[in-house]
Amino acid sequence: MVGIFKAKLTAPDIKAKAKALGADLVGIADGAAMDANPPDPANPQRPSDITDLDGKRVIVLARRLSDGVARIKAWGDRHKYYNDEIALTMLEETSLELVYWLEDQGYPAIIIPPTHTDPWNYEGDPKQHMTPLLSMPHAAVEAGLGTLGLNLQIITPEYGPRVVLTAVLCSAEVECDSPRTDALCLGPSCGRCLKTCPADAVKHWDRDWPACDEYRSPYGFAKLSGHIEKIIEAGTPEERRDLLRSETTFNLWQSILRGSGAITGCRRCADVCPVGEDYELMLKAALEDIPENTPDKETRLSEMLGAEQAGQRAPGEVQQIRWIGRRT
Ligand code: SF4
Ligand code: SF4
């Protein structure tokens, strides 16, 4: 067998190319380290579950989300969905161009999108929380791009959580980045993600994912199948027709057309996070006040803070400490 010609590549070569193609942030994780440290051992999502051959490196690309739509406070505003979907589409194109470039250098490569889930894990319940083939936030931490926050969202020093992520697998044996050691999240003493969350899904270093899914994918598969069921079960032809012509059907159609509202949705927790160089300059004046906050949310944050000050660590923090980082 004739081996594939491989050009000599370095990590800076790959990063410079990815940035020239449009990525805002690039890091390179060690596939073996990700194999050895699955974020959820019960559902490991390892590079080696995707490829035995081309997963020695996980190149994580980030594109920033626009601050203009972050400044719109309504979580369900369609401008937010649409702008984020375009950012993701552009990042996917960047990833594809990087794959072609790597392959031209002799390194077969694979894009791992943040949105596709493993159909073999689907158990017939449209509301079941589905996970992608690799956890992008965890991959981003392994690639040195940031750390996880109170609700396990990725936080970067440059843009806070206001990024979309993709990964490219390949086996170019270039130098890897290391995870950051110190946490970027300010923890329950900040808690702005919890205060704003319309689903009340932010927990103590954890997230109620099914509750979040209703908002972060408001016109996704669960909504589509539920709406079709309503149409099928409607009592009269007139009710069926009205449901068919309803705003929900219209929104579902738009989401199928563009993905906005299905693969993008609520991101209020990211908008209000004070971490990131962009926050002070672009967002603070518009987002300082959090209208969704309640006395009950304040009480829960105080309890979390009190427990931490008493030296107790939440189970979520213990389990995710590698990716949350050291807290001072
Ligand atoms: S995406 Fe929305 S619903 Fe989900 S945790 Fe963030 S604020 Fe809450
Ligand atoms: S809003 Fe505050 S608590 Fe939430 S992730 Fe950002 S820094 Fe952490």
Side-chain angles (χ1 to χ4, degrees):
M1 190 174 109
V2 179
I4 304 171
F5 165 77
K6 293 185 187 304
K8 192 159 171 47
L9 273 187
T10 65
D13 292 338
I14 293 175
K15 291 180 184 180
K17 187 67 188 178
K19 287 197 171 174
L21 290 170
D24 289 311
L25 306 172
V26 191
I28 301 178
D30 181 2
M34 290 183 62
D35 275 348
N37 296 283
D40 175 4
N43 177 24
Q45 301 167 279
R46 294 164 296 212
S48 61
D49 295 325
I50 298 168
T51 169
D52 291 334
L53 300 173
D54 298 312
K56 286 187 180 161
R57 296 292 177 268
V58 181
I59 306 164
V60 182
L61 314 179
R63 181 125 197 169
R64 73 183 172 89
L65 297 173
S66 90
D67 288 322
V69 285
R71 289 156 63 95
I72 298 173
K73 285 191 175 176
W75 73 264
D77 185 281
R78 292 197 75 90
H79 299 290
K80 288 163 105 81
Y81 306 166
Y82 175 71
N83 276 255
D84 293 359
E85 192 274 320
I86 295 292
L88 181 57
T89 297
M90 292 199 67
L91 187 61
E92 287 172 340
E93 286 178 10
T94 295
S95 307
L96 180 63
E97 292 296 339
L98 186 67
V99 164
Y100 289 148
W101 179 79
L102 285 164
E103 294 193 342
D104 287 345
Q105 314 302 312
Y107 300 93
I110 303 168
I111 303 174
I112 309 301
T115 49
H116 288 186
T117 55
D118 188 346
W120 293 106
N121 288 331
Y122 179 61
E123 291 169 355
D125 175 6
K127 292 197 169 164
Q128 175 190 344
H129 174 63
M130 298 290 290
T131 51
L133 301 169
L134 274 187
S135 168
M136 290 299 145
H138 291 88
V141 176
E142 296 287 349
L145 295 187
T147 59
L148 299 190
L150 188 64
N151 64 348
L152 307 184
Q153 64 183 343
I154 183 68
I155 307 180
T156 67
E158 295 86 353
Y159 310 111
R162 293 166 290 279
V163 289
V164 279
L165 301 166
T166 58
V168 170
L169 304 188
C170 77
S171 286
E173 294 196 30
V174 299
E175 195 181 343
C176 301
D177 293 294
S178 304
R180 299 171 68 92
T181 48
D182 292 338
L184 290 164
C185 178
L186 309 171
S189 63
C190 162
R192 288 172 59 81
C193 48
L194 187 152
K195 292 177 188 175
T196 200
C197 178
D200 221 354
V202 180
K203 305 300 172 196
H204 199 183
W205 304 107
D206 202 353
R207 189 184 311 201
D208 179 342
W209 288 101
C212 173
D213 286 345
E214 281 189 41
Y215 291 79
R216 69 188 187 126
S217 180
Y219 294 101
F221 182 61
K223 187 77 171 187
L224 176 68
S225 57
H227 190 59
I228 292 172
E229 272 174 31
K230 270 192 198 159
I231 293 173
I232 292 169
E233 289 164 5
T236 65
E238 289 72 28
E239 281 176 42
R240 248 193 304 283
R241 188 198 54 212
D242 289 349
L243 281 167
L244 190 64
R245 295 180 178 181
S246 65
E247 188 182 336
T248 299
T249 310
F250 184 79
N251 284 331
L252 285 164
W253 173 75
Q254 281 210 317
S255 295
I256 290 168
L257 197 66
R258 288 299 314 217
S260 53
I263 58 167
T264 54
C266 178
R267 61 156 158 118
R268 274 290 283 169
C269 50
D271 296 345
V272 303
C273 179
V275 181
E277 290 162 12
D278 57 339
Y279 187 80
E280 199 74 19
L281 193 64
M282 303 288 278
L283 301 174
K284 186 173 179 181
L287 297 176
E288 198 61 0
D289 176 50
I290 297 180
E292 304 94 334
N293 196 14
T294 63
D296 177 58
K297 288 178 172 179
E298 290 284 0
T299 302
R300 269 182 282 141
L301 277 170
S302 298
E303 287 168 359
M304 288 178 194
L305 192 57
E308 291 192 358
Q309 285 168 342
Q312 296 164 17
R313 289 282 171 250
E317 184 179 8
V318 173
Q319 209 248 327
Q320 295 289 310
I321 193 68
R322 176 181 175 88
W323 302 282
I324 290 168
R326 186 177 57 215
R327 299 177 54 232
T328 49

